[in-house]
Amino acid sequence: MKALLLENVHPLGESLLRDAGFEVETRVGALDEDELIEALEGVQLLGIRSKTEVTARVLENAASLEAIGAFCIGTNQIDLDVAAQKGVVVFNAPFSNTRSVVELAIAEIIIMARRLTEKDRALHDGVWFKDAKGSHEVRGRRLGIVGYGNIGSQLSVVAEMLGFKVYFYDTDDKLALGNATRCSSLEELLSVAEVVTLHVDGRSGNAGFFGAEQFAAMRPRALFLNLSRGFVVDYDALKTHLESGHIAGAAVDVFPEEPKSKGEPFSSPLQGLANVVLTPHIGGSTEEAQEDIGRFVAAKLRDYIQRGSTTLNVNLPSLNLPERPGQHRLIHFHQNVPGVLARMNGILAEHGVNIEGQMLDTSAESGYVVTDVVSQLSEALLDQLRSMPETIRLRVVN
């Protein structure tokens, strides 16, 4: 089986798949839609990071594709609904780079609070700029975290250890860690926080949710960070509030449009502004995080192909499956409608196949049943299962 890994996936991921018997092709940068369709010919596994977009058109033209690994947290670059309709399982790394993003956020808050960008620039320009004006400790400051998921909640714990008073807002009901205070609305958080940091997910409903109105509602001279998604913030509005002095500093790691490869030109309305830290989407780009992401996602892809395990996938039902040596395993994705399992088992019985073990999980639209048998599976039996109108994808693991 073939695997295609794009965008500098960590070598550990490549070696893990090679050791599992895959033929692995690696490419440095992202591919556009046409390039990706051509590259996926005969490929069963695709590994990407955040720049490659796996659109509905790509999926419609990738007949051999079995699974996609997003070697990052976000999956908004993949059409998850169409992938599910095609029986293509999508995995990501929801935890691996959490610590790296948290550490960058903490570093950037301190950099802005001490106005280190200005001090650094002055000395590089040959000017001794020793001045305490506008420089502050972070101890005792009120930190407002928007989005209290894996990253936001860990940031809450680390920030509290540094002496921050932590407030958070999330659309879901989340347990407050440590002494953090839950806010009932975004407006409440903005009214109290001296530092506001965004850690929301990539769902389409978050597009443009933080704009001129939200910046105006922030406390005067507050600091702002976005290490989540570039499209959630109106950066022209941020520029206006930075230039007016209402916002004292900003740190931005993600942008609405980002170059596909290292070394390409980049432009942003925030370039050249005082006390603004711009980083090229490196929140999770540490050697430790990338190594763990490479291991985690590649192992998920391997386990799915070798034994059908879909644990922690993001678009289809989840089954954690043990290995059963000496048996044949039928992997069957189907539309979640009544009677599919009974018809499937009836076909097996017609062909004299005894079921040794069976597991089923469903989502709103899809069902996933894994059946272990000892008997040989004839092509006539497999063709009959494939021809069921509800079948999305059928595969045999020996």
mmCIF file of all heavy atoms in Angstrom, residues 142-184:
data_model
loop_
_atom_site.group_PDB
_atom_site.id
_atom_site.type_symbol
_atom_site.label_atom_id
_atom_site.label_comp_id
_atom_site.label_asym_id
_atom_site.label_seq_id
_atom_site.Cartn_x
_atom_site.Cartn_y
_atom_site.Cartn_z
ATOM 1 N N ARG A 142 -5.029 40.117 34.670
ATOM 2 C CA ARG A 142 -6.224 39.326 34.376
ATOM 3 C C ARG A 142 -6.145 38.804 32.940
ATOM 4 O O ARG A 142 -6.178 39.592 31.980
ATOM 5 C CB ARG A 142 -7.487 40.154 34.595
ATOM 6 C CG ARG A 142 -7.688 40.569 36.054
ATOM 7 C CD ARG A 142 -9.014 41.277 36.278
ATOM 8 N NE ARG A 142 -9.095 42.541 35.560
ATOM 9 C CZ ARG A 142 -8.633 43.697 36.019
ATOM 10 N NH1 ARG A 142 -8.039 43.751 37.216
ATOM 11 N NH2 ARG A 142 -8.757 44.809 35.318
ATOM 12 N N LEU A 143 -6.041 37.490 32.804
ATOM 13 C CA LEU A 143 -5.935 36.839 31.500
ATOM 14 C C LEU A 143 -7.295 36.280 31.100
ATOM 15 O O LEU A 143 -7.898 35.507 31.844
ATOM 16 C CB LEU A 143 -4.909 35.705 31.555
ATOM 17 C CG LEU A 143 -4.806 34.807 30.325
ATOM 18 C CD1 LEU A 143 -4.316 35.589 29.119
ATOM 19 C CD2 LEU A 143 -3.896 33.621 30.601
ATOM 20 N N GLY A 144 -7.765 36.645 29.908
ATOM 21 C CA GLY A 144 -9.031 36.149 29.388
ATOM 22 C C GLY A 144 -8.786 35.165 28.251
ATOM 23 O O GLY A 144 -8.213 35.533 27.227
ATOM 24 N N ILE A 145 -9.212 33.915 28.431
ATOM 25 C CA ILE A 145 -9.001 32.860 27.439
ATOM 26 C C ILE A 145 -10.323 32.583 26.735
ATOM 27 O O ILE A 145 -11.307 32.198 27.376
ATOM 28 C CB ILE A 145 -8.477 31.571 28.094
ATOM 29 C CG1 ILE A 145 -7.149 31.850 28.823
ATOM 30 C CG2 ILE A 145 -8.309 30.463 27.066
ATOM 31 C CD1 ILE A 145 -6.661 30.679 29.665
ATOM 32 N N VAL A 146 -10.345 32.768 25.423
ATOM 33 C CA VAL A 146 -11.545 32.501 24.631
ATOM 34 C C VAL A 146 -11.358 31.147 23.947
ATOM 35 O O VAL A 146 -10.537 31.013 23.039
ATOM 36 C CB VAL A 146 -11.778 33.607 23.590
ATOM 37 C CG1 VAL A 146 -13.066 33.328 22.807
ATOM 38 C CG2 VAL A 146 -11.841 34.970 24.260
ATOM 39 N N GLY A 147 -12.098 30.155 24.412
ATOM 40 C CA GLY A 147 -11.926 28.782 23.935
ATOM 41 C C GLY A 147 -11.161 27.979 24.976
ATOM 42 O O GLY A 147 -9.951 28.140 25.123
ATOM 43 N N TYR A 148 -11.859 27.114 25.711
ATOM 44 C CA TYR A 148 -11.264 26.408 26.855
ATOM 45 C C TYR A 148 -11.128 24.921 26.548
ATOM 46 O O TYR A 148 -11.512 24.060 27.326
ATOM 47 C CB TYR A 148 -12.140 26.642 28.093
ATOM 48 C CG TYR A 148 -11.403 26.562 29.419
ATOM 49 C CD1 TYR A 148 -10.405 27.469 29.745
ATOM 50 C CD2 TYR A 148 -11.738 25.598 30.361
ATOM 51 C CE1 TYR A 148 -9.757 27.416 30.974
ATOM 52 C CE2 TYR A 148 -11.104 25.536 31.596
ATOM 53 C CZ TYR A 148 -10.111 26.444 31.895
ATOM 54 O OH TYR A 148 -9.476 26.396 33.114
ATOM 55 N N GLY A 149 -10.561 24.624 25.359
ATOM 56 C CA GLY A 149 -10.320 23.242 24.975
ATOM 57 C C GLY A 149 -8.981 22.759 25.484
ATOM 58 O O GLY A 149 -8.503 23.180 26.544
ATOM 59 N N ASN A 150 -8.342 21.884 24.712
ATOM 60 C CA ASN A 150 -7.070 21.302 25.149
ATOM 61 C C ASN A 150 -6.006 22.368 25.397
ATOM 62 O O ASN A 150 -5.276 22.320 26.388
ATOM 63 C CB ASN A 150 -6.569 20.311 24.099
ATOM 64 C CG ASN A 150 -7.479 19.119 23.947
ATOM 65 O OD1 ASN A 150 -8.085 18.673 24.915
ATOM 66 N ND2 ASN A 150 -7.599 18.596 22.738
ATOM 67 N N ILE A 151 -5.902 23.342 24.485
ATOM 68 C CA ILE A 151 -4.888 24.383 24.624
ATOM 69 C C ILE A 151 -5.308 25.421 25.654
ATOM 70 O O ILE A 151 -4.543 25.778 26.553
ATOM 71 C CB ILE A 151 -4.607 25.040 23.259
ATOM 72 C CG1 ILE A 151 -3.951 24.033 22.310
ATOM 73 C CG2 ILE A 151 -3.718 26.267 23.429
ATOM 74 C CD1 ILE A 151 -3.802 24.524 20.891
ATOM 75 N N GLY A 152 -6.528 25.924 25.526
ATOM 76 C CA GLY A 152 -6.980 26.961 26.445
ATOM 77 C C GLY A 152 -6.936 26.531 27.892
ATOM 78 O O GLY A 152 -6.527 27.300 28.776
ATOM 79 N N SER A 153 -7.332 25.290 28.177
ATOM 80 C CA SER A 153 -7.346 24.828 29.562
ATOM 81 C C SER A 153 -5.937 24.629 30.103
ATOM 82 O O SER A 153 -5.674 24.922 31.284
ATOM 83 C CB SER A 153 -8.149 23.531 29.679
ATOM 84 O OG SER A 153 -7.627 22.526 28.835
ATOM 85 N N GLN A 154 -5.003 24.142 29.257
ATOM 86 C CA GLN A 154 -3.630 23.998 29.752
ATOM 87 C C GLN A 154 -2.973 25.362 29.947
ATOM 88 O O GLN A 154 -2.230 25.569 30.910
ATOM 89 C CB GLN A 154 -2.785 23.149 28.800
ATOM 90 C CG GLN A 154 -1.395 22.891 29.376
ATOM 91 C CD GLN A 154 -0.600 21.842 28.630
ATOM 92 O OE1 GLN A 154 0.611 21.950 28.518
ATOM 93 N NE2 GLN A 154 -1.256 20.816 28.127
ATOM 94 N N LEU A 155 -3.278 26.309 29.060
ATOM 95 C CA LEU A 155 -2.785 27.680 29.251
ATOM 96 C C LEU A 155 -3.291 28.244 30.565
ATOM 97 O O LEU A 155 -2.559 28.936 31.288
ATOM 98 C CB LEU A 155 -3.234 28.560 28.088
ATOM 99 C CG LEU A 155 -2.906 30.048 28.193
ATOM 100 C CD1 LEU A 155 -1.401 30.280 28.300
ATOM 101 C CD2 LEU A 155 -3.482 30.813 27.004
ATOM 102 N N SER A 156 -4.520 27.940 30.903
ATOM 103 C CA SER A 156 -5.106 28.400 32.160
ATOM 104 C C SER A 156 -4.273 27.951 33.352
ATOM 105 O O SER A 156 -3.966 28.745 34.263
ATOM 106 C CB SER A 156 -6.534 27.847 32.270
ATOM 107 O OG SER A 156 -7.100 28.113 33.526
ATOM 108 N N VAL A 157 -3.867 26.677 33.357
ATOM 109 C CA VAL A 157 -3.096 26.130 34.467
ATOM 110 C C VAL A 157 -1.710 26.760 34.549
ATOM 111 O O VAL A 157 -1.252 27.178 35.624
ATOM 112 C CB VAL A 157 -2.982 24.597 34.332
ATOM 113 C CG1 VAL A 157 -2.050 24.024 35.385
ATOM 114 C CG2 VAL A 157 -4.364 23.947 34.421
ATOM 115 N N VAL A 158 -1.022 26.841 33.405
ATOM 116 C CA VAL A 158 0.338 27.391 33.389
ATOM 117 C C VAL A 158 0.326 28.872 33.756
ATOM 118 O O VAL A 158 1.176 29.354 34.516
ATOM 119 C CB VAL A 158 0.990 27.160 32.012
ATOM 120 C CG1 VAL A 158 2.366 27.812 31.964
ATOM 121 C CG2 VAL A 158 1.102 25.668 31.720
ATOM 122 N N ALA A 159 -0.646 29.611 33.226
ATOM 123 C CA ALA A 159 -0.720 31.047 33.507
ATOM 124 C C ALA A 159 -0.983 31.310 34.978
ATOM 125 O O ALA A 159 -0.419 32.245 35.574
ATOM 126 C CB ALA A 159 -1.806 31.684 32.647
ATOM 127 N N GLU A 160 -1.826 30.497 35.578
ATOM 128 C CA GLU A 160 -2.107 30.682 36.997
ATOM 129 C C GLU A 160 -0.855 30.470 37.842
ATOM 130 O O GLU A 160 -0.637 31.153 38.848
ATOM 131 C CB GLU A 160 -3.215 29.721 37.435
ATOM 132 C CG GLU A 160 -3.750 30.008 38.818
ATOM 133 C CD GLU A 160 -4.979 29.175 39.142
ATOM 134 O OE1 GLU A 160 -6.012 29.373 38.474
ATOM 135 O OE2 GLU A 160 -4.889 28.335 40.054
ATOM 136 N N MET A 161 -0.007 29.537 37.411
ATOM 137 C CA MET A 161 1.248 29.301 38.133
ATOM 138 C C MET A 161 2.160 30.532 38.086
ATOM 139 O O MET A 161 2.965 30.740 38.982
ATOM 140 C CB MET A 161 1.972 28.101 37.530
ATOM 141 C CG MET A 161 1.261 26.768 37.771
ATOM 142 S SD MET A 161 1.972 25.428 36.789
ATOM 143 C CE MET A 161 3.660 25.438 37.400
ATOM 144 N N LEU A 162 2.021 31.341 37.023
ATOM 145 C CA LEU A 162 2.830 32.554 36.899
ATOM 146 C C LEU A 162 2.208 33.753 37.627
ATOM 147 O O LEU A 162 2.785 34.834 37.623
ATOM 148 C CB LEU A 162 3.021 32.914 35.423
ATOM 149 C CG LEU A 162 3.970 32.013 34.637
ATOM 150 C CD1 LEU A 162 3.918 32.359 33.158
ATOM 151 C CD2 LEU A 162 5.390 32.143 35.152
ATOM 152 N N GLY A 163 1.030 33.544 38.190
ATOM 153 C CA GLY A 163 0.411 34.622 38.952
ATOM 154 C C GLY A 163 -0.733 35.327 38.257
ATOM 155 O O GLY A 163 -1.269 36.309 38.787
ATOM 156 N N PHE A 164 -1.131 34.855 37.070
ATOM 157 C CA PHE A 164 -2.293 35.447 36.399
ATOM 158 C C PHE A 164 -3.579 35.111 37.150
ATOM 159 O O PHE A 164 -3.710 34.035 37.747
ATOM 160 C CB PHE A 164 -2.437 34.907 34.969
ATOM 161 C CG PHE A 164 -1.492 35.495 33.978
ATOM 162 C CD1 PHE A 164 -0.307 34.845 33.659
ATOM 163 C CD2 PHE A 164 -1.790 36.682 33.325
ATOM 164 C CE1 PHE A 164 0.561 35.374 32.721
ATOM 165 C CE2 PHE A 164 -0.937 37.213 32.383
ATOM 166 C CZ PHE A 164 0.249 36.561 32.083
ATOM 167 N N LYS A 165 -4.534 36.028 37.075
ATOM 168 C CA LYS A 165 -5.917 35.727 37.440
ATOM 169 C C LYS A 165 -6.630 35.349 36.147
ATOM 170 O O LYS A 165 -6.729 36.167 35.236
ATOM 171 C CB LYS A 165 -6.577 36.943 38.093
ATOM 172 C CG LYS A 165 -5.913 37.366 39.395
ATOM 173 C CD LYS A 165 -6.543 38.637 39.946
ATOM 174 C CE LYS A 165 -5.846 39.074 41.232
ATOM 175 N NZ LYS A 165 -6.408 40.357 41.752
ATOM 176 N N VAL A 166 -7.089 34.120 36.061
ATOM 177 C CA VAL A 166 -7.559 33.576 34.789
ATOM 178 C C VAL A 166 -9.081 33.611 34.700
ATOM 179 O O VAL A 166 -9.789 33.165 35.612
ATOM 180 C CB VAL A 166 -7.063 32.124 34.593
ATOM 181 C CG1 VAL A 166 -7.605 31.539 33.290
ATOM 182 C CG2 VAL A 166 -5.538 32.092 34.603
ATOM 183 N N TYR A 167 -9.562 34.125 33.555
ATOM 184 C CA TYR A 167 -10.978 34.088 33.206
ATOM 185 C C TYR A 167 -11.088 33.383 31.860
ATOM 186 O O TYR A 167 -10.180 33.457 31.031
ATOM 187 C CB TYR A 167 -11.544 35.506 33.088
ATOM 188 C CG TYR A 167 -11.506 36.297 34.371
ATOM 189 C CD1 TYR A 167 -10.324 36.897 34.797
ATOM 190 C CD2 TYR A 167 -12.641 36.440 35.155
ATOM 191 C CE1 TYR A 167 -10.269 37.619 35.978
ATOM 192 C CE2 TYR A 167 -12.604 37.168 36.346
ATOM 193 C CZ TYR A 167 -11.415 37.746 36.751
ATOM 194 O OH TYR A 167 -11.362 38.457 37.924
ATOM 195 N N PHE A 168 -12.206 32.672 31.631
ATOM 196 C CA PHE A 168 -12.356 32.016 30.334
ATOM 197 C C PHE A 168 -13.812 32.042 29.891
ATOM 198 O O PHE A 168 -14.730 32.147 30.692
ATOM 199 C CB PHE A 168 -11.834 30.576 30.374
ATOM 200 C CG PHE A 168 -12.703 29.596 31.119
ATOM 201 C CD1 PHE A 168 -13.703 28.877 30.475
ATOM 202 C CD2 PHE A 168 -12.509 29.384 32.482
ATOM 203 C CE1 PHE A 168 -14.498 27.975 31.167
ATOM 204 C CE2 PHE A 168 -13.293 28.476 33.180
ATOM 205 C CZ PHE A 168 -14.297 27.778 32.521
ATOM 206 N N TYR A 169 -13.969 31.934 28.561
ATOM 207 C CA TYR A 169 -15.306 31.813 27.975
ATOM 208 C C TYR A 169 -15.274 30.715 26.928
ATOM 209 O O TYR A 169 -14.344 30.652 26.113
ATOM 210 C CB TYR A 169 -15.759 33.125 27.333
ATOM 211 C CG TYR A 169 -17.007 32.956 26.505
ATOM 212 C CD1 TYR A 169 -18.238 32.686 27.103
ATOM 213 C CD2 TYR A 169 -16.949 33.030 25.112
ATOM 214 C CE1 TYR A 169 -19.380 32.492 26.345
ATOM 215 C CE2 TYR A 169 -18.096 32.846 24.344
ATOM 216 C CZ TYR A 169 -19.307 32.577 24.965
ATOM 217 O OH TYR A 169 -20.433 32.378 24.217
ATOM 218 N N ASP A 170 -16.273 29.839 26.949
ATOM 219 C CA ASP A 170 -16.410 28.798 25.945
ATOM 220 C C ASP A 170 -17.894 28.578 25.687
ATOM 221 O O ASP A 170 -18.715 28.700 26.603
ATOM 222 C CB ASP A 170 -15.762 27.491 26.434
ATOM 223 C CG ASP A 170 -15.494 26.515 25.303
ATOM 224 O OD1 ASP A 170 -16.462 25.963 24.731
ATOM 225 O OD2 ASP A 170 -14.312 26.295 24.982
ATOM 226 N N THR A 171 -18.239 28.282 24.439
ATOM 227 C CA THR A 171 -19.644 28.051 24.113
ATOM 228 C C THR A 171 -20.155 26.759 24.746
ATOM 229 O O THR A 171 -21.362 26.607 24.954
ATOM 230 C CB THR A 171 -19.842 27.992 22.593
ATOM 231 O OG1 THR A 171 -18.959 27.027 22.039
ATOM 232 C CG2 THR A 171 -19.557 29.352 21.960
ATOM 233 N N ASP A 172 -19.241 25.821 25.018
ATOM 234 C CA ASP A 172 -19.621 24.595 25.731
ATOM 235 C C ASP A 172 -19.407 24.778 27.231
ATOM 236 O O ASP A 172 -18.621 25.634 27.657
ATOM 237 C CB ASP A 172 -18.786 23.406 25.255
ATOM 238 C CG ASP A 172 -19.085 23.039 23.815
ATOM 239 O OD1 ASP A 172 -20.220 23.313 23.359
ATOM 240 O OD2 ASP A 172 -18.199 22.495 23.136
ATOM 241 N N ASP A 173 -20.091 23.971 28.014
ATOM 242 C CA ASP A 173 -19.944 24.037 29.468
ATOM 243 C C ASP A 173 -18.687 23.270 29.865
ATOM 244 O O ASP A 173 -18.651 22.045 29.800
ATOM 245 C CB ASP A 173 -21.178 23.428 30.135
ATOM 246 C CG ASP A 173 -21.233 23.717 31.630
ATOM 247 O OD1 ASP A 173 -20.469 24.579 32.093
ATOM 248 O OD2 ASP A 173 -22.039 23.067 32.323
ATOM 249 N N LYS A 174 -17.641 23.975 30.260
ATOM 250 C CA LYS A 174 -16.348 23.358 30.587
ATOM 251 C C LYS A 174 -16.038 23.518 32.072
ATOM 252 O O LYS A 174 -16.366 24.534 32.696
ATOM 253 C CB LYS A 174 -15.232 24.007 29.754
ATOM 254 C CG LYS A 174 -15.367 23.825 28.250
ATOM 255 C CD LYS A 174 -15.142 22.388 27.842
ATOM 256 C CE LYS A 174 -15.220 22.200 26.344
ATOM 257 N NZ LYS A 174 -14.079 22.782 25.628
ATOM 258 N N LEU A 175 -15.367 22.507 32.613
ATOM 259 C CA LEU A 175 -14.944 22.553 34.009
ATOM 260 C C LEU A 175 -13.805 23.550 34.171
ATOM 261 O O LEU A 175 -12.804 23.495 33.450
ATOM 262 C CB LEU A 175 -14.481 21.166 34.461
ATOM 263 C CG LEU A 175 -13.861 21.072 35.863
ATOM 264 C CD1 LEU A 175 -14.919 21.328 36.926
ATOM 265 C CD2 LEU A 175 -13.214 19.697 36.064
ATOM 266 N N ALA A 176 -13.948 24.471 35.118
ATOM 267 C CA ALA A 176 -12.891 25.436 35.410
ATOM 268 C C ALA A 176 -11.771 24.739 36.170
ATOM 269 O O ALA A 176 -12.013 24.076 37.182
ATOM 270 C CB ALA A 176 -13.448 26.592 36.233
ATOM 271 N N LEU A 177 -10.539 24.879 35.670
ATOM 272 C CA LEU A 177 -9.386 24.277 36.324
ATOM 273 C C LEU A 177 -8.754 25.272 37.293
ATOM 274 O O LEU A 177 -8.707 26.476 37.025
ATOM 275 C CB LEU A 177 -8.358 23.836 35.277
ATOM 276 C CG LEU A 177 -8.858 22.817 34.238
ATOM 277 C CD1 LEU A 177 -7.736 22.458 33.278
ATOM 278 C CD2 LEU A 177 -9.405 21.572 34.916
ATOM 279 N N GLY A 178 -8.231 24.750 38.406
ATOM 280 C CA GLY A 178 -7.595 25.631 39.388
ATOM 281 C C GLY A 178 -8.567 26.675 39.893
ATOM 282 O O GLY A 178 -9.713 26.385 40.240
ATOM 283 N N ASN A 179 -8.112 27.922 39.885
ATOM 284 C CA ASN A 179 -8.944 29.034 40.359
ATOM 285 C C ASN A 179 -9.525 29.852 39.217
ATOM 286 O O ASN A 179 -9.955 30.993 39.423
ATOM 287 C CB ASN A 179 -8.112 29.946 41.274
ATOM 288 C CG ASN A 179 -7.677 29.238 42.540
ATOM 289 O OD1 ASN A 179 -8.486 28.613 43.219
ATOM 290 N ND2 ASN A 179 -6.387 29.317 42.854
ATOM 291 N N ALA A 180 -9.543 29.304 38.016
ATOM 292 C CA ALA A 180 -10.072 30.034 36.870
ATOM 293 C C ALA A 180 -11.556 30.346 37.060
ATOM 294 O O ALA A 180 -12.299 29.581 37.668
ATOM 295 C CB ALA A 180 -9.867 29.219 35.592
ATOM 296 N N THR A 181 -11.969 31.482 36.497
ATOM 297 C CA THR A 181 -13.352 31.935 36.611
ATOM 298 C C THR A 181 -14.033 31.841 35.251
ATOM 299 O O THR A 181 -13.531 32.374 34.264
ATOM 300 C CB THR A 181 -13.413 33.389 37.110
ATOM 301 O OG1 THR A 181 -12.799 33.474 38.408
ATOM 302 C CG2 THR A 181 -14.845 33.889 37.189
ATOM 303 N N ARG A 182 -15.163 31.162 35.200
ATOM 304 C CA ARG A 182 -15.923 31.029 33.962
ATOM 305 C C ARG A 182 -16.748 32.292 33.731
ATOM 306 O O ARG A 182 -17.437 32.779 34.641
ATOM 307 C CB ARG A 182 -16.841 29.813 34.023
ATOM 308 C CG ARG A 182 -17.658 29.588 32.754
ATOM 309 C CD ARG A 182 -18.705 28.498 32.929
ATOM 310 N NE ARG A 182 -18.101 27.205 33.209
ATOM 311 C CZ ARG A 182 -18.107 26.619 34.383
ATOM 312 N NH1 ARG A 182 -18.673 27.234 35.431
ATOM 313 N NH2 ARG A 182 -17.554 25.429 34.566
ATOM 314 N N CYS A 183 -16.699 32.830 32.533
ATOM 315 C CA CYS A 183 -17.525 33.979 32.162
ATOM 316 C C CYS A 183 -18.738 33.484 31.388
ATOM 317 O O CYS A 183 -18.650 32.540 30.603
ATOM 318 C CB CYS A 183 -16.742 34.973 31.310
ATOM 319 S SG CYS A 183 -15.361 35.763 32.177
ATOM 320 N N SER A 184 -19.854 34.137 31.575
ATOM 321 C CA SER A 184 -21.095 33.701 30.937
ATOM 322 C C SER A 184 -21.219 34.179 29.496
ATOM 323 O O SER A 184 -22.063 33.680 28.751
ATOM 324 C CB SER A 184 -22.299 34.188 31.746
ATOM 325 O OG SER A 184 -22.299 35.607 31.820
#
